[in-house]
Amino acid sequence: MSEGVSDVVNAARGEVVAIIPARGGSKGVPRKNVRRVGGVPLVGRAVAAARATASIDRVVVSTDDAEIGAVAEEWGAQVVARPADLAGDTATSESALLHTLDTLAETGVETDILVFLQATSPFIDPRDLDRAIGLVRDGSFDSVFSAIETYGFLWSADASGIARGVNHESSTRPRRQDREPHYLETGAFYVMRAPGFRGARHRFFGRVGVVEVAERSALEIDTEEQLSLAMVTASAIAPLLHDVGGQPGSIDAVAVVTDFDGVHTDDTATTDAEGRETVRVSRSDGMGVAELRRAGIPVLILSTETNPVVSARARKLRVDVRQGVDDKAAALIEWAAETGVPLSSVAYVGNDINDLACLNLVGWPVAVPDAHPLVLAAARVVLTRAGGDGAVRELSDRVLRSLIPIERQRT
């Protein structure tokens, strides 16, 4: 079939549409869908995974919540307003999916393949989504779901607490290699023919298939403990995961804000007999900041301490400085408003717990590698260079990299 004919056939069939239901109410984890893992709101991570999937034509977030909608649009999704009667605790995901399909159809968008993603699974791999879509598109299955292989012995308990084997005879303990595997749903995604879903009104219908995914991508967040685990996991396995938005290694920010101690310095100071302090900084940081200024990117040093060293370094770098600030978050908000830069486009790099409020405000929370564990968990990017050893230069290089077209980077 020629390319032109193939395009006509695909258009006739309709689009591959990813839908992410994300309501505002959540009892287990309040405001769950906008809580951050690896510095990125959960709904943003789901949108980014869908947008990174080559075979998905459209990404839609169904929500009843203005903040979730704003975050979803910021990450590049279309938003469909979810009626209140479909957003309560008893409302099903299926009802939100059907409502979204109907809303899209009213605007002329016909859906051939529906990709249902859940924002509570923060580590969805676009390659797995592509495999799942391929299995539905080529007719192998009508519906597929993500799962991990398990050889676990499952048990149930009756009202009296007596346990009985579910998938095995309790009197025998066969070796792993002598047993058939079972598959455990991860809840991350489901892919299905949209017409079949409309008829069944359920995600499992017709020939149901399994897409086996890596265990590291199977974490699902329903409790605060699981959210904390995901935060730690994000920094620990970041090299194994797909980049969340932007070009690999880049920081797509239009303004840079840094802490001083532990970022521009190695977090140590030498004092003389009169109490005057000297600190160690990296000369390469100065070149990095100069390149940011030349690119028209505003830079601010934000410090809780008042110290002549900070003022002198800011003058040397020719950047804004605000020090002696008790509320760093309020100062950051004020500076961003004065500069005309949305917080979602700010990169903030810090190292200690007094930076957490700022890290949770910006679109690009960044940490130095020896930062406090809570800062590392809040970061979207962890630098490889330490404070005073080129951390600011690395940050500037990565911000500037996002300004260079991919084609030029490859030459």
Side-chain angles (χ1 to χ4, degrees), residues 103-123:
T103 302
L104 291 175
E106 289 171 1
T107 63
V109 176
E110 292 302 325
T111 304
D112 177 30
I113 295 176
L114 166 62
V115 183
F116 164 31
L117 282 76
Q118 300 209 88
T120 48
S121 296
F123 304 126

mmCIF file of all heavy atoms in Angstrom, residues 103-123:
data_model
loop_
_atom_site.group_PDB
_atom_site.id
_atom_site.type_symbol
_atom_site.label_atom_id
_atom_site.label_comp_id
_atom_site.label_asym_id
_atom_site.label_seq_id
_atom_site.Cartn_x
_atom_site.Cartn_y
_atom_site.Cartn_z
ATOM 1 N N THR A 103 -17.326 13.892 24.054
ATOM 2 C CA THR A 103 -16.977 15.303 23.903
ATOM 3 C C THR A 103 -16.089 15.512 22.680
ATOM 4 O O THR A 103 -16.278 16.468 21.909
ATOM 5 C CB THR A 103 -16.263 15.818 25.165
ATOM 6 O OG1 THR A 103 -17.121 15.632 26.302
ATOM 7 C CG2 THR A 103 -15.914 17.292 25.039
ATOM 8 N N LEU A 104 -15.108 14.629 22.495
ATOM 9 C CA LEU A 104 -14.228 14.736 21.328
ATOM 10 C C LEU A 104 -15.024 14.534 20.040
ATOM 11 O O LEU A 104 -14.812 15.246 19.047
ATOM 12 C CB LEU A 104 -13.100 13.702 21.424
ATOM 13 C CG LEU A 104 -12.062 13.932 22.530
ATOM 14 C CD1 LEU A 104 -11.081 12.765 22.578
ATOM 15 C CD2 LEU A 104 -11.311 15.241 22.318
ATOM 16 N N ALA A 105 -15.928 13.558 20.054
ATOM 17 C CA ALA A 105 -16.733 13.279 18.853
ATOM 18 C C ALA A 105 -17.571 14.490 18.461
ATOM 19 O O ALA A 105 -17.772 14.772 17.272
ATOM 20 C CB ALA A 105 -17.619 12.064 19.085
ATOM 21 N N GLU A 106 -18.056 15.223 19.456
ATOM 22 C CA GLU A 106 -18.858 16.411 19.179
ATOM 23 C C GLU A 106 -18.053 17.491 18.462
ATOM 24 O O GLU A 106 -18.620 18.351 17.777
ATOM 25 C CB GLU A 106 -19.421 16.975 20.489
ATOM 26 C CG GLU A 106 -20.509 16.098 21.106
ATOM 27 C CD GLU A 106 -20.889 16.564 22.503
ATOM 28 O OE1 GLU A 106 -20.308 17.588 22.957
ATOM 29 O OE2 GLU A 106 -21.730 15.917 23.141
ATOM 30 N N THR A 107 -16.728 17.437 18.619
ATOM 31 C CA THR A 107 -15.863 18.416 17.943
ATOM 32 C C THR A 107 -15.256 17.850 16.666
ATOM 33 O O THR A 107 -14.341 18.447 16.089
ATOM 34 C CB THR A 107 -14.733 18.875 18.882
ATOM 35 O OG1 THR A 107 -13.895 17.745 19.204
ATOM 36 C CG2 THR A 107 -15.299 19.460 20.159
ATOM 37 N N GLY A 108 -15.729 16.675 16.253
ATOM 38 C CA GLY A 108 -15.259 16.082 15.014
ATOM 39 C C GLY A 108 -14.081 15.150 15.147
ATOM 40 O O GLY A 108 -13.523 14.699 14.136
ATOM 41 N N VAL A 109 -13.676 14.823 16.366
ATOM 42 C CA VAL A 109 -12.548 13.914 16.576
ATOM 43 C C VAL A 109 -13.076 12.504 16.770
ATOM 44 O O VAL A 109 -13.772 12.216 17.760
ATOM 45 C CB VAL A 109 -11.707 14.324 17.806
ATOM 46 C CG1 VAL A 109 -10.599 13.308 18.061
ATOM 47 C CG2 VAL A 109 -11.144 15.721 17.614
ATOM 48 N N GLU A 110 -12.780 11.622 15.836
ATOM 49 C CA GLU A 110 -13.172 10.221 15.956
ATOM 50 C C GLU A 110 -11.986 9.410 16.473
ATOM 51 O O GLU A 110 -10.869 9.535 15.981
ATOM 52 C CB GLU A 110 -13.637 9.686 14.604
ATOM 53 C CG GLU A 110 -14.943 10.291 14.128
ATOM 54 C CD GLU A 110 -16.091 10.071 15.112
ATOM 55 O OE1 GLU A 110 -16.128 8.997 15.759
ATOM 56 O OE2 GLU A 110 -16.934 10.969 15.252
ATOM 57 N N THR A 111 -12.247 8.576 17.460
ATOM 58 C CA THR A 111 -11.192 7.801 18.100
ATOM 59 C C THR A 111 -11.256 6.351 17.650
ATOM 60 O O THR A 111 -12.294 5.698 17.768
ATOM 61 C CB THR A 111 -11.325 7.863 19.635
ATOM 62 O OG1 THR A 111 -11.325 9.240 20.046
ATOM 63 C CG2 THR A 111 -10.187 7.127 20.311
ATOM 64 N N ASP A 112 -10.145 5.859 17.139
ATOM 65 C CA ASP A 112 -10.048 4.465 16.735
ATOM 66 C C ASP A 112 -9.502 3.617 17.878
ATOM 67 O O ASP A 112 -10.084 2.610 18.263
ATOM 68 C CB ASP A 112 -9.133 4.339 15.509
ATOM 69 C CG ASP A 112 -8.936 2.894 15.087
ATOM 70 O OD1 ASP A 112 -9.853 2.085 15.301
ATOM 71 O OD2 ASP A 112 -7.862 2.574 14.556
ATOM 72 N N ILE A 113 -8.380 4.048 18.439
ATOM 73 C CA ILE A 113 -7.753 3.321 19.544
ATOM 74 C C ILE A 113 -7.693 4.238 20.757
ATOM 75 O O ILE A 113 -7.230 5.386 20.669
ATOM 76 C CB ILE A 113 -6.342 2.837 19.170
ATOM 77 C CG1 ILE A 113 -6.435 1.802 18.043
ATOM 78 C CG2 ILE A 113 -5.630 2.234 20.377
ATOM 79 C CD1 ILE A 113 -5.083 1.324 17.539
ATOM 80 N N LEU A 114 -8.183 3.746 21.881
ATOM 81 C CA LEU A 114 -8.191 4.483 23.132
ATOM 82 C C LEU A 114 -7.049 3.984 24.017
ATOM 83 O O LEU A 114 -6.924 2.786 24.265
ATOM 84 C CB LEU A 114 -9.527 4.288 23.841
ATOM 85 C CG LEU A 114 -9.613 4.715 25.315
ATOM 86 C CD1 LEU A 114 -9.364 6.213 25.454
ATOM 87 C CD2 LEU A 114 -10.976 4.333 25.889
ATOM 88 N N VAL A 115 -6.225 4.916 24.486
ATOM 89 C CA VAL A 115 -5.145 4.612 25.421
ATOM 90 C C VAL A 115 -5.513 5.257 26.748
ATOM 91 O O VAL A 115 -5.536 6.482 26.864
ATOM 92 C CB VAL A 115 -3.796 5.156 24.912
ATOM 93 C CG1 VAL A 115 -2.673 4.770 25.866
ATOM 94 C CG2 VAL A 115 -3.503 4.650 23.506
ATOM 95 N N PHE A 116 -5.821 4.445 27.727
ATOM 96 C CA PHE A 116 -6.239 4.916 29.049
ATOM 97 C C PHE A 116 -5.024 4.856 29.976
ATOM 98 O O PHE A 116 -4.518 3.787 30.286
ATOM 99 C CB PHE A 116 -7.401 4.041 29.539
ATOM 100 C CG PHE A 116 -7.715 4.130 31.008
ATOM 101 C CD1 PHE A 116 -7.504 5.287 31.733
ATOM 102 C CD2 PHE A 116 -8.269 3.034 31.669
ATOM 103 C CE1 PHE A 116 -7.808 5.358 33.087
ATOM 104 C CE2 PHE A 116 -8.589 3.087 33.013
ATOM 105 C CZ PHE A 116 -8.346 4.245 33.722
ATOM 106 N N LEU A 117 -4.538 6.039 30.395
ATOM 107 C CA LEU A 117 -3.399 6.126 31.305
ATOM 108 C C LEU A 117 -3.856 6.605 32.667
ATOM 109 O O LEU A 117 -4.790 7.401 32.772
ATOM 110 C CB LEU A 117 -2.348 7.114 30.781
ATOM 111 C CG LEU A 117 -1.416 6.679 29.666
ATOM 112 C CD1 LEU A 117 -2.135 6.690 28.339
ATOM 113 C CD2 LEU A 117 -0.208 7.599 29.604
ATOM 114 N N GLN A 118 -3.173 6.142 33.709
ATOM 115 C CA GLN A 118 -3.470 6.596 35.059
ATOM 116 C C GLN A 118 -2.274 7.372 35.603
ATOM 117 O O GLN A 118 -1.150 6.861 35.636
ATOM 118 C CB GLN A 118 -3.805 5.409 35.958
ATOM 119 C CG GLN A 118 -5.016 4.620 35.457
ATOM 120 C CD GLN A 118 -5.774 3.947 36.568
ATOM 121 O OE1 GLN A 118 -6.669 4.549 37.168
ATOM 122 N NE2 GLN A 118 -5.458 2.687 36.818
ATOM 123 N N ALA A 119 -2.535 8.598 36.036
ATOM 124 C CA ALA A 119 -1.465 9.459 36.531
ATOM 125 C C ALA A 119 -0.836 8.923 37.807
ATOM 126 O O ALA A 119 0.270 9.340 38.169
ATOM 127 C CB ALA A 119 -2.009 10.870 36.773
ATOM 128 N N THR A 120 -1.512 8.013 38.472
ATOM 129 C CA THR A 120 -0.973 7.443 39.710
ATOM 130 C C THR A 120 0.169 6.466 39.456
ATOM 131 O O THR A 120 0.774 5.971 40.403
ATOM 132 C CB THR A 120 -2.086 6.735 40.494
ATOM 133 O OG1 THR A 120 -2.817 5.879 39.610
ATOM 134 C CG2 THR A 120 -3.036 7.747 41.110
ATOM 135 N N SER A 121 0.462 6.180 38.202
ATOM 136 C CA SER A 121 1.627 5.361 37.840
ATOM 137 C C SER A 121 2.669 6.294 37.231
ATOM 138 O O SER A 121 2.570 6.666 36.057
ATOM 139 C CB SER A 121 1.224 4.269 36.845
ATOM 140 O OG SER A 121 0.319 3.360 37.427
ATOM 141 N N PRO A 122 3.680 6.710 38.000
ATOM 142 C CA PRO A 122 4.570 7.781 37.549
ATOM 143 C C PRO A 122 5.665 7.368 36.576
ATOM 144 O O PRO A 122 6.333 8.223 36.007
ATOM 145 C CB PRO A 122 5.197 8.284 38.857
ATOM 146 C CG PRO A 122 5.170 7.094 39.762
ATOM 147 C CD PRO A 122 3.925 6.336 39.406
ATOM 148 N N PHE A 123 5.854 6.060 36.367
ATOM 149 C CA PHE A 123 7.003 5.625 35.576
ATOM 150 C C PHE A 123 6.595 4.858 34.311
ATOM 151 O O PHE A 123 7.168 3.828 33.969
ATOM 152 C CB PHE A 123 7.936 4.769 36.429
ATOM 153 C CG PHE A 123 8.398 5.461 37.684
ATOM 154 C CD1 PHE A 123 8.227 4.870 38.927
ATOM 155 C CD2 PHE A 123 8.974 6.719 37.614
ATOM 156 C CE1 PHE A 123 8.649 5.507 40.085
ATOM 157 C CE2 PHE A 123 9.384 7.379 38.775
ATOM 158 C CZ PHE A 123 9.229 6.768 40.013
#
